[in-house]
Amino acid sequence: KCLIVFSLCLGLIFLSGFFHINKNYIISKSHKMLLIPYKLCHAKTNVMFLKTHKTASSTVLNIMFRFVERYNLTVALPADQLFHLGYPKTFQARFVEDFQAIGQKYNIMCNHLRFNPSEVKKVMAANTFYFSILRNPIRLLESSYVYYKHNVPAFRSSKDVNEYLASPMKYYHPADYKQNTYARNIMWFDFGYDNNAEGDKKYIQAVLREIEQNFQLILIADYFDESMVLLKHTLCWDLDDVIYFKLNSRSQDTIQTLTPESEERVKVWCSLDWKLYLHFNQSFWKRIEETIGLKELEKEVNHLRTRQKELMETCLSDQEAVGKDHIKNKALLPFQSGAANILGYNLRQDLDNTTLRTCQRMVMPELQYTSYLYTLQHPHKKKKPLVF
């Protein structure tokens, strides 16, 4: 019997070298540990995230970048001085720094790009996991309007989002489509399709099928915590791999209230995005019911929020995001755009070095983190300029 037990122990130790034990753990202030073990599974380390616009995707990018650092992975970063992978041009493999020299050796891809599957496959390994995120187009268009107010011709000359939606064709000229992509069906565009296409049923169904073939998972920003739990399960990651502080969000005073009429107009004006969202919102909840179950989901969302609150207490002096004028360390100031006031964080002053590094990564804005990883991964290249 002793020999059997000893053999089983050896077997488990041996297996642990090949498998990742996926578990949630919450370390409380009293240092108690709650373990919720799951079946042995491989943690996926070859992952492509299609970063869509105004969908909480900057928060997901931060999660991906921290995962890169935690497991010493490589990330396909934008070449030269850019912070996006050629956007709004359709993606080409040459947009990735050192692609010609490195080839298909990247683990992670997550900076903004306009999806082009054949070119992405040149950069990413054959077993890469593809996922993206969508957001209710009503909320998304309002966010896009405020964020890109000064950059998008269609937004510039209207007083507010309700005026724009009352008569969008008065302001939106398809000839300026490169500058106006943020003003109509932006998610459809990000996935690589024509955001001004006629939305007939046959065409829409064909696109939805193609997206389902290209992506193994589509998350929903409106249910972000639920999305992170599903992502954790699907990738076989740990709870701390998907813990986050909300990034690139705006102050409440810059949010414009849409009238009920405007909300209905979005569904028509952005009908391609609306169909896309409805389809994948449905498949998202079906996936949860089939893999996790709603009862278990609620428990895990609570675990995630408990851990998040704990980290906020550990890391942040204000316990919440603050406006741009109240961010003390200007190195952690997020990029400011349009009429939005993009929030950031202040870290506590009494953190030890290890905790400080963890907390800095949690709050590091997108441009700073991209620049930092670029310098780390390509030390002989010219640094990316952080000009705000």
Side-chain angles (χ1 to χ4, degrees):
K1 282 183 180 177
C2 289
L3 186 61
I4 291 167
V5 171
F6 179 71
S7 300
L8 279 170
C9 289
L10 271 181
L12 282 170
I13 291 164
F14 178 75
L15 277 172
S16 68
F18 292 90
F19 293 98
H20 174 79
I21 300 174
N22 184 14
K23 59 187 179 295
N24 285 348
Y25 57 92
I26 301 165
I27 304 172
S28 70
K29 299 231 161 150
S30 59
H31 303 292
K32 287 178 184 174
M33 189 175 274
L34 173 64
L35 292 177
I36 307 164
Y38 290 97
K39 63 181 181 181
L40 294 170
C41 60
H42 287 285
K44 290 179 172 63
T45 53
N46 291 332
V47 183
M48 191 276 169
F49 170 58
L50 176 62
K51 188 180 189 296
T52 48
H53 284 82
K54 313 314 299 166
T55 57
S57 62
S58 293
T59 303
V60 180
L61 177 130
N62 179 273
I63 287 167
M64 302 300 291
F65 278 172
R66 283 187 283 119
F67 190 80
V68 164
E69 285 202 86
R70 183 176 177 183
Y71 295 102
N72 197 26
L73 305 175
T74 54
V75 56
L77 291 166
D80 305 320
Q81 305 297 285
L82 295 175
F83 286 89
H84 53 73
L85 292 159
Y87 195 91
K89 294 175 184 172
T90 301
F91 176 75
Q92 301 288 318
R94 61 186 170 83
F95 296 159
V96 173
E97 187 65 76
D98 272 356
F99 166 70
Q100 301 296 343
I102 295 172
Q104 233 179 5
K105 298 279 174 67
Y106 298 96
N107 300 115
I108 304 290
M109 177 185 270
C110 56
N111 287 81
H112 273 308
L113 59 82
R114 189 174 183 213
F115 193 61
N116 183 3
S118 59
E119 288 292 305
V120 171
K121 282 172 186 172
K122 290 180 184 177
V123 177
M124 302 304 289
N127 68 342
T128 296
F129 183 92
Y130 289 76
F131 81 100
S132 189
I133 189 165
L134 300 174
R135 184 185 184 187
N136 186 319
I138 297 168
R139 306 279 81 81
L140 186 150
L141 185 71
E142 183 277 329
S143 176
S144 187
Y145 183 92
V146 174
Y147 194 82
Y148 297 110
K149 175 70 174 165
H150 306 320
N151 305 95
V152 173
F155 292 158
R156 223 178 277 146
S157 52
S158 54
K159 184 182 69 177
D160 57 35
V161 69
N162 290 304
E163 185 177 278
Y164 171 71
L165 286 167
S167 183
M169 287 309 292
K170 180 179 171 184
Y171 308 102
Y172 183 95
H173 305 295
D176 299 329
Y177 81 94
K178 284 186 180 177
Q179 290 79 39
N180 278 335
T181 53
Y182 303 109
R184 188 184 194 190
N185 294 312
I186 181 60
M187 295 187 293
W188 199 264
F189 184 85
D190 287 349
F191 274 88
Y193 302 101
D194 179 6
N195 62 320
N196 292 306
E198 292 296 321
D200 66 87
K201 193 174 179 181
K202 192 176 177 183
Y203 167 69
I204 289 169
Q205 289 305 315
V207 168
L208 294 177
R209 277 196 302 273
E210 198 165 81
I211 292 172
E212 284 176 335
Q213 287 165 6
N214 289 328
F215 292 86
Q216 288 107 307
L217 181 65
I218 304 289
L219 303 176
I220 301 295
D222 311 83
Y223 306 100
F224 195 79
D225 288 348
E226 292 84 353
S227 288
M228 291 306 98
V229 169
L230 181 58
L231 184 69
K232 177 182 78 69
H233 272 265
T234 311
L235 297 181
C236 193
W237 287 8
D238 283 336
L239 178 66
D240 271 13
D241 293 327
V242 297
I243 289 292
Y244 68 92
F245 296 162
K246 194 185 285 188
L247 298 178
N248 209 36
S249 60
R250 337 169 245 154
S251 59
Q252 286 293 317
D253 61 329
T254 63
I255 295 173
Q256 298 184 12
T257 304
L258 273 73
T259 65
E261 293 79 16
S262 290
E263 292 192 355
E264 291 306 310
R265 285 170 186 147
V266 173
K267 296 176 188 178
V268 178
W269 175 240
C270 298
S271 61
L272 300 173
D273 271 3
W274 183 246
K275 299 285 194 335
L276 182 70
Y277 175 77
L278 289 179
H279 178 83
F280 284 105
N281 183 48
Q282 189 177 33
S283 65
F284 171 79
W285 288 106
K286 188 180 176 190
R287 179 82 164 260
I288 281 175
E289 286 174 5
E290 289 173 352
T291 57
I292 304 171
L294 294 176
K295 197 173 178 182
E296 179 62 25
L297 175 72
E298 187 181 357
K299 279 200 297 188
E300 293 205 35
V301 164
N302 288 335
H303 293 152
L304 184 146
R305 288 172 181 166
T306 301
R307 179 65 173 143
Q308 182 189 55
K309 186 172 182 286
E310 204 167 77
L311 277 170
M312 291 186 95
E313 287 171 0
T314 300
C315 293
L316 306 179
S317 61
D318 305 285
Q319 301 300 301
E320 61 181 1
V322 298
K324 60 185 177 184
D325 298 329
H326 298 284
I327 297 168
K328 292 167 189 170
N329 183 352
K330 296 308 173 188
L332 296 176
L333 179 72
F335 177 74
Q336 303 294 317
S337 177
N341 177 0
I342 304 301
L343 305 176
Y345 296 94
N346 289 318
L347 297 178
R348 287 170 57 132
Q349 298 298 302
D350 57 348
L351 302 174
D352 63 77
N353 287 340
T354 304
T355 309
L356 177 63
R357 280 195 295 272
T358 299
C359 295
Q360 281 174 333
R361 281 155 177 74
M362 293 285 296
V363 304
M364 196 179 292
E366 181 177 331
L367 300 190
Q368 287 92 318
Y369 215 152
T370 299
S371 180
Y372 167 72
L373 287 181
Y374 183 85
T375 302
L376 211 62
Q377 198 166 283
H378 307 286
H380 304 299
K381 303 276 183 181
K382 186 179 176 183
K383 290 182 180 182
K384 290 187 186 288
L386 287 168
V387 181
F388 288 40

